[in-house]
Amino acid sequence: MELRGKQKRFLRSEAHHLTPIFQIGKGGLNDAMINQIEEALEKRELIKVSLLQNTDEVADDAAAAISDAIQCEVVQIIGRVIVLFKPSRKEKYQKISVKVRSL
């Protein structure tokens, strides 16, 4: 799902109040973390991931790696914080994606 400008603006406003639930640290990005991010996106649809000071990862590269691995949309990258969106496949978790589709 390719996001339009209005949809990205809406998602950025929704993500503003979220706290990052994943932190990429010294160990970098690995398969276990990508699986956990995918599970969290399935339930929440919109999450933040932060890169800690001690990581060698670059935010753009980490965002590209995550989005390629789980086919999610990178909504925004600010400094060391990445905002990710993926519509849930289960109807009971589709709260944000319903609003996004209506825009």
Side-chain angles (χ1 to χ4, degrees), residues 11 14 17-22 36-48 84-90 92-97:
L11 289 171
E14 290 289 311
H17 305 291
L18 298 177
T19 56
I21 60 171
F22 289 101
Q36 289 177 342
I37 290 172
E38 187 172 18
E39 289 172 11
L41 278 170
E42 181 64 35
K43 290 199 169 130
R44 297 177 184 226
E45 294 188 317
L46 186 67
I47 63 168
K48 281 185 179 179
L84 301 170
F85 170 74
K86 183 178 181 183
S88 179
R89 286 173 267 154
K90 296 181 180 168
K92 66 180 179 179
Y93 298 129
Q94 294 178 356
K95 293 178 177 71
I96 297 173
S97 58

